[in-house]
Amino acid sequence: MTTDESGHALPGGRAPDWLTVLVEERDGDAVVRLDGELDILTRPRLSAACDELLSRGVRRIVIDAAGLSFSDCAGLSALLGVQREAWRRGGSLVLTGVHGMPARLLAITGAAATLLPGEATGPAKAVGE
């Protein structure tokens, strides 16, 4: 039986198809295209794809969110977690194509400052580093 992260059984015993994750790799970088909804039930799909890329040595991940129609706080947490892991491994993760409700979530939470290109270049550094 398949369950969500809270341990609840999912209908039909499988993960919902609300999110499509397509990965393209070029010259050691990767573009991850999202289509659908990123939430507590679908975030494992994104996390698994990005973990696989990072474990193979990809250091720069660009997430194309043009097809992302919805994200909740669990989806945002997944994005921030992947970005944190990329930073830990000396890489980076940025979002592009964000619009609508997901863009509003980034703005309201302040996460735009770390996830959108041009807003930040990496993890905060202590003075003197």
Side-chain angles (χ1 to χ4, degrees), residues 87-88 90-91 114 120-129:
W87 285 346
R88 188 183 74 73
T114 60
T121 58
K125 301 280 186 191
V127 175
E129 282 191 336

Coordinates of all heavy atoms in Angstrom, one line a residue, residues 87-88 90-91 114 120-129:
W87 N 23.9 23.2 -2.4 CA 24.9 24.1 -1.9 C 25.9 23.3 -1.0 O 27.1 23.5 -1.1 CB 24.3 25.1 -1.0 CG 23.6 26.2 -1.7 CD1 23.7 26.6 -3.0 CD2 22.7 27.2 -1.1 NE1 22.9 27.6 -3.3 CE2 22.3 28.0 -2.1 CE3 22.2 27.3 0.2 CZ2 21.4 29.1 -1.9 CZ3 21.3 28.4 0.4 CH2 20.9 29.3 -0.7
R88 N 25.4 22.3 -0.3 CA 26.3 21.5 0.6 C 27.3 20.7 -0.3 O 28.4 20.5 0.1 CB 25.4 20.5 1.4 CG 26.2 19.7 2.4 CD 25.4 18.6 3.1 NE 25.1 17.5 2.3 CZ 26.0 16.5 1.9 NH1 27.2 16.6 2.3 NH2 25.6 15.5 1.2
G90 N 28.5 21.9 -3.1 CA 29.2 22.9 -3.9 C 28.5 23.3 -5.2 O 29.1 23.9 -6.1
G91 N 27.2 23.0 -5.3 CA 26.5 23.3 -6.5 C 25.5 24.4 -6.3 O 25.6 25.2 -5.3
T114 N 16.2 33.4 -2.3 CA 17.2 32.4 -2.5 C 17.0 31.5 -3.7 O 17.9 30.8 -4.1 CB 17.3 31.5 -1.2 OG1 16.0 30.9 -1.0 CG2 17.7 32.3 0.0
A120 N 19.9 36.0 -5.4 CA 21.0 35.6 -4.5 C 22.0 34.7 -5.2 O 21.6 34.1 -6.2 CB 20.5 34.8 -3.3
T121 N 23.2 34.6 -4.8 CA 24.2 33.7 -5.5 C 24.5 32.5 -4.7 O 25.2 31.6 -5.3 CB 25.5 34.5 -5.7 OG1 26.0 35.0 -4.5 CG2 25.2 35.7 -6.6
G122 N 24.1 32.3 -3.5 CA 24.4 31.1 -2.8 C 24.1 31.3 -1.3 O 23.4 32.3 -1.0
P123 N 24.5 30.3 -0.5 CA 24.2 30.4 0.9 C 24.8 31.7 1.5 O 25.9 32.1 1.1 CB 24.8 29.1 1.5 CG 25.7 28.7 0.5 CD 25.3 29.2 -0.8
A124 N 24.2 32.2 2.6 CA 24.8 33.3 3.2 C 26.1 33.0 3.8 O 26.4 31.9 4.3 CB 23.8 33.8 4.4
K125 N 27.0 34.0 3.7 CA 28.4 33.8 4.3 C 28.5 34.6 5.5 O 28.0 35.7 5.6 CB 29.4 34.3 3.2 CG 29.4 33.5 1.9 CD 30.1 32.2 2.0 CE 30.1 31.6 0.7 NZ 30.6 30.3 0.7
A126 N 29.3 34.1 6.5 CA 29.6 34.9 7.7 C 30.6 36.0 7.3 O 31.4 35.8 6.3 CB 30.1 34.0 8.7
V127 N 30.6 37.0 8.0 CA 31.5 38.1 7.8 C 33.0 37.6 7.9 O 33.3 36.8 8.8 CB 31.3 39.3 8.8 CG1 32.4 40.3 8.7 CG2 29.9 39.8 8.7
G128 N 33.8 37.9 6.9 CA 35.2 37.4 6.9 C 35.4 36.1 6.2 O 36.5 35.7 6.0
E129 N 34.3 35.5 5.7 CA 34.5 34.2 4.9 C 34.9 34.5 3.5 O 34.5 35.5 2.9 CB 33.2 33.4 5.0 CG 33.0 32.7 6.2 CD 31.9 31.7 6.1 OE1 31.0 31.8 5.3 OE2 31.9 30.7 6.9

